[in-house]
Amino acid sequence: MADTTREAARPGTPAAPARPGRTARAPRRVPLPRRLTPWLFLLAPLALLLTFTYAPIANMIAYSFTDWDGVSPELNYTGTGNYTELLTRSELFEVFFVSGYYLVASVVQIVLALYFATVLSFDVRFRNFFKGVLFFPYLINGVAIGFVFLYFFQDGGTLDSVLRLLGVETDHAWLGTPSSANTSLAGVSVWRYLGLNFVLFLGAIQSIPGELYEAAEIDGASRWHQFRHIIAPGIRPVLSLSVILSVSGSLSVFEIPYIMTGGATGTETFVIQTVKLAFQFNKTGLASAAAVVLLLIVLAVTWVQRRIVPDEKVDLV
């Protein structure tokens, strides 16, 4: 019996014939309803995405080549006339300088959010309370925030009253000059969107394995070294996403300046100008072209950022 087994195990020995009556099983065919099930689940979100995102974008691009006023049923094709007008009128692009205030504010916002997320990721007293305090402003409606801070910055308002209690007398009009108004509005945007970046950073930090912190503490690493060698590399993809969102958001600011100043006192942004072109001057075609240009600028900035800081796979373990 042992000799027979050795013979069968030798290489080059012909395989034993298959037993009669036993054949290879064919792969089981998946029923058609089961193959269609994932597409049925995707049908509703795809329909909503096409209806409320891509269809309006297609209409906007089509309107940008017309002189439509937003009311008349007649549309006259003007070719690239709207884009020529945009590129030849420098005052339509001067409002982008206002975005510089919000760009600086976004840097401050990311730094503060990263600081608070790092501190509250460790064992700190009342950290759940502080998490709620930091995230709460993001839950408030933007219109409500605009009206609240409109009274906050008005002459003799909340800010002046607080400064007076601290012994600081001021008659400064916070929304009266372009520099102070844009600085105040940028500060409001920091207060509102700080919670969003804070939650993103906190979630990324908490996803880092705890064994790395324990090993670092055993080796005597300080909090700064833990942040530099563990936290910062671990949250790099989320940090890159936050930078992209902040830059694109600073280019398309609308809600807070529109509610608080309506674009007056040198606070008009590109989006506010586009809205005025469409609904105040009835130049929907030109406004559509401006919206297309803004979309292309945001896409270009995002592409440049992704080229400069590409996504890298982070492996800390």
Side-chain angles (χ1 to χ4, degrees), residues 226-255:
Q226 292 181 27
F227 172 81
R228 180 180 176 184
H229 298 287
I230 298 177
I231 295 177
I235 65 171
R236 190 181 304 159
V238 177
L239 183 60
S240 176
L241 173 64
S242 181
V243 171
I244 291 174
L245 293 176
S246 298
V247 173
S248 60
S250 65
L251 293 175
S252 56
V253 177
F254 170 72
E255 202 172 41

Side-chain angles (χ1 to χ4, degrees), residues 280-315:
Q280 184 174 341
F281 301 105
N282 295 328
K283 295 183 177 181
T284 305
L286 183 61
S288 299
V292 172
V293 170
L294 178 61
L295 176 62
L296 294 176
I297 291 174
V298 171
L299 291 177
V301 170
T302 303
W303 181 81
V304 171
Q305 285 182 302
R306 303 289 285 186
R307 283 291 188 180
I308 296 176
V309 187
D311 281 343
E312 298 180 3
K313 185 178 181 181
V314 179
D315 189 8

Side-chain angles (χ1 to χ4, degrees), residues 8-269:
R10 288 178 183 173
T13 305
R19 295 181 181 179
R22 179 176 295 182
T23 58
R25 181 178 296 179
R28 188 175 180 180
R29 188 176 182 85
V30 180
L32 181 61
R34 182 173 295 182
R35 283 184 291 171
L36 292 178
T37 299
W39 296 103
L40 292 176
F41 279 105
L42 290 173
L43 186 61
L46 286 176
L48 294 174
L49 185 65
L50 291 173
T51 304
F52 296 105
T53 301
Y54 293 109
I57 291 177
N59 288 333
M60 179 183 69
I61 295 174
Y63 293 148
S64 67
F65 295 100
T66 66
D67 62 349
W68 189 42
D69 59 1
V71 179
S72 175
E74 297 181 359
L75 285 77
N76 298 319
Y77 178 76
T78 59
T80 59
N82 291 325
Y83 294 97
T84 303
E85 183 176 356
L86 280 174
L87 296 176
T88 54
R89 291 175 57 183
S90 59
E91 66 272 11
L92 296 179
F93 284 92
E94 289 177 357
V95 292
F96 272 116
F97 290 107
V98 177
S99 299
Y101 289 92
Y102 297 94
L103 188 61
V104 174
S106 65
V107 175
V108 176
Q109 171 185 304
I110 290 176
V111 172
L112 290 177
L114 185 57
Y115 171 77
F116 286 122
T118 304
V119 171
L120 295 179
S121 64
F122 296 104
D123 190 11
V124 181
R125 294 184 62 184
F126 306 110
R127 63 176 180 176
N128 289 331
F129 170 75
F130 289 115
K131 289 177 184 178
V133 170
L134 290 171
F135 186 66
F136 177 72
Y138 184 69
L139 301 177
I140 305 176
N141 182 269
V143 177
I145 290 177
F147 281 111
V148 167
F149 278 93
L150 182 61
Y151 293 106
F152 181 82
F153 286 115
Q154 72 177 1
D155 298 338
T158 306
L159 181 57
D160 288 340
S161 300
V162 172
L163 292 177
R164 195 175 298 112
L165 289 176
L166 297 176
V168 179
E169 294 291 338
T170 177
D171 56 353
H172 181 71
W174 300 102
L175 301 178
T177 61
S179 59
S180 63
N182 285 310
T183 303
S184 301
L185 297 178
V188 175
S189 69
V190 171
W191 181 82
R192 188 193 177 190
Y193 293 104
L194 176 67
L196 175 62
N197 287 309
F198 165 74
V199 169
L200 292 176
F201 292 148
L202 185 63
I205 292 174
Q206 291 180 345
S207 66
I208 299 175
E211 294 82 1
L212 296 178
Y213 296 107
E214 296 175 1
E217 290 179 357
I218 293 174
D219 293 338
S222 63
R223 296 298 189 193
W224 164 248
H225 288 94
Q226 292 181 27
F227 172 81
R228 180 180 176 184
H229 298 287
I230 298 177
I231 295 177
I235 65 171
R236 190 181 304 159
V238 177
L239 183 60
S240 176
L241 173 64
S242 181
V243 171
I244 291 174
L245 293 176
S246 298
V247 173
S248 60
S250 65
L251 293 175
S252 56
V253 177
F254 170 72
E255 202 172 41
I256 292 175
Y258 187 77
I259 295 298
M260 295 184 63
T261 62
T265 325
T267 60
E268 187 176 61
T269 62

